Every structure is written in structure tokens, then in C-alpha cells.
Amino acid sequence: MYAVFISGGKQYKVIKNQIIRLEKLKDPIGKIINLDQVLMISSENSTQVGNPFIKGAKITANIEKHGRLKKIKIIKFNRRKHYKKQQGHRQSFTDVKIININYISGES
């Protein structure tokens, strides 16, 4: 069984016990969160697609850790114009572990 959901403006496909890296969430480490913007759930014998979301579907996840990625350098340069601009960026993230994918079929 797998599900597709939205978090931070991006879509993710997950299965149970998978660790996935999301955009930074404000919740503390160890907190159990519910992701309720589920677009699709697929099991061995059926597939449910939302319009846009599935009513009664939620994904339960545990926040594992917060962190920041490696720094990337942004360089803008115009030759022969005496112009050079440098900037750096580190993206924040949250790792979550998918505990369960719940779907109550009577609510659609």
C-alpha cells in the first residue's frame, strides 16, 4: 500500500515505515503529526483518487530530525563590466518516518 500527499507545495509518494525528507516543519522532534492532504491511496486490490483530496484519509508520521543541507553558492558574474555577486543558501528540512496510512472508505 502506498499514498501520495502534499506537504510544503510538493507531492510525495510514501509507503509504511519509510523515512522521507520534507520542507521544514515547526513541530518538535518526536511529535506525531497527521498529514491529511492525501491525493491518492493505492493498495493491492483498489486505488482511490481524491478530488483534490480524499476525505477520511490521513497519514500518521513521526518527526525524526531537523537539519540543514549543504551550502550552495550562487554566483552572478558579467565579464568586462566589473560586476560579481556571490550569495550562499542552506535549505532547512525535516525528516519524518511514516507510521501508518489510514483510510476510512465510508466517508468518500
Side-chain angles (χ1 to χ4, degrees):
M1 174 183 243
Y2 70 89
V4 177
F5 70 96
I6 294 178
S7 177
K10 298 176 184 170
Q11 296 180 7
Y12 300 94
K13 178 183 170 186
V14 294
I15 59 173
K16 189 175 178 180
N17 294 326
Q18 179 181 2
I19 295 177
I20 191 161
R21 184 162 284 179
L22 303 176
E23 295 295 321
K24 182 159 189 215
L25 302 174
K26 295 180 181 178
D27 298 319
I29 295 174
K31 183 175 180 184
I32 306 254
I33 58 171
N34 291 320
L35 304 165
D36 56 354
Q37 293 186 336
V38 181
L39 298 172
M40 185 178 89
I41 293 178
S42 179
S43 61
E44 299 84 30
N45 51 8
S46 68
T47 300
Q48 294 290 330
V49 179
N51 186 14
F53 305 119
I54 300 174
K55 293 180 183 174
K58 69 178 179 178
I59 298 171
T60 307
N62 183 23
I63 296 181
E64 297 287 317
K65 73 173 186 174
H66 297 294
R68 296 176 79 192
L69 297 173
K70 290 177 67 174
K71 181 180 272 192
I72 60 168
K73 292 184 178 179
I74 300 139
I75 300 172
K76 296 180 180 181
F77 179 76
N78 290 343
R79 63 183 191 157
R80 296 190 299 267
K81 302 294 183 193
H82 246 273
Y83 176 78
K84 181 180 173 184
K85 182 178 179 182
Q86 291 185 338
Q87 185 178 358
H89 176 74
R90 291 184 70 186
Q91 184 69 35
S92 299
F93 68 85
T94 300
D95 283 344
V96 297
K97 183 175 183 179
I98 305 300
I99 298 171
N100 200 359
I101 299 171
N102 300 320
Y103 174 59
I104 301 169
S105 61
E107 293 188 24
S108 279

